[in-house]
Amino acid sequence: MKIFLCVDAAQATALAGAQVQQQIMRKPESVLGFATGGTMEALYAELIRLHRHQALSFAGVRSFNLDEYLGLSGTHSHSYSHYMHQHLFDHVNIQPQHIHLLQGDAADPVVEAQAYEQRIQSVDGIDLQLLGLGENGHIGFNEPSSSLASRTRVKRLAPDTLAANQRYFSADISQPTHALTMGIGTIMDARQVVMLALGTKKADAVAHMIEGPISARWPASVLQMHPQTTVILDAPAAQHLACRDYYTAVHPMGLVE
Ligand code: GLP
């Protein structure tokens, strides 16, 4: 695990953007795994900036999103599909036929999940998977107790996840209780993982992920077994890490190999 401790959220976000930029420059036809959530909004704004001002091209990029709320159509204002168009796809030159999103309102979610796994395999897997981190340690919507070998499937959302994401829903739009999500095994198959976690609310989960035992109680801890994971943190998210000085010495300001 590479651990980049950044001074603030802006530096961390820029660093995560640079990881994506380098991947696309290395391989213009990269398969990218995209995440959603508040943390990713600034990262997508950074990718749009790189597209506009540094000619970063998404023309060859193929994308797979991590998860989608069960029951919401792709055009629903609270779907992750809508989120992705609003925050990234509508602003860069990604080809519509290269975008892969889980269909939350699929007639048969089990079939949808299996077909998604096959679509990932058919493009030879994900080159770089972006991840955010749930306050309870989830990745995608793989809640505590998720099998560390799980594949794409339906998951019931944990009470703390529902509480954390409640802010996005209003009285007239009820919050879905289930989601379709890539499994932990699916995520672990990605050749590279870049995790961005910011703020005090993530500090406990970050400490369990990096320094705790590998456990389904904190699903992100499985990333300790991934050979190419980069975790990018701001100071508040890193505050409970015991070995902060060591991580900083290895990657000063996250800039040195
Ligand atoms: C949701 C998503 C996760 C994301 C998490 C963190 O639960 N399913 O993929 O990592 O939110 O979101 P935020 O960045 O808003 O804290």
Side-chain angles (χ1 to χ4, degrees), residues 35-40 66-67 80 131-134 138-141 161 165 167-168 202:
T36 49
T39 309
M40 292 295 137
L66 270 176
D67 46 16
Y80 282 158
L131 291 179
L133 179 63
H138 76 210
I139 47 178
F141 270 132
T161 297
N165 290 346
R167 65 189 190 280
Y168 297 114
K202 304 294 170 71

Side-chain angles (χ1 to χ4, degrees), residues 136-139 141-150 153 155-158 184 215-221:
N136 65 1
H138 76 210
I139 47 178
F141 270 132
N142 292 285
E143 302 286 28
S145 85
S146 287
S147 161
L148 300 183
S150 51
R153 72 212 181 290
K155 280 298 290 180
R156 186 190 186 94
L157 304 184
I184 294 178
S215 160
R217 167 62 190 90
W218 297 94
S221 62

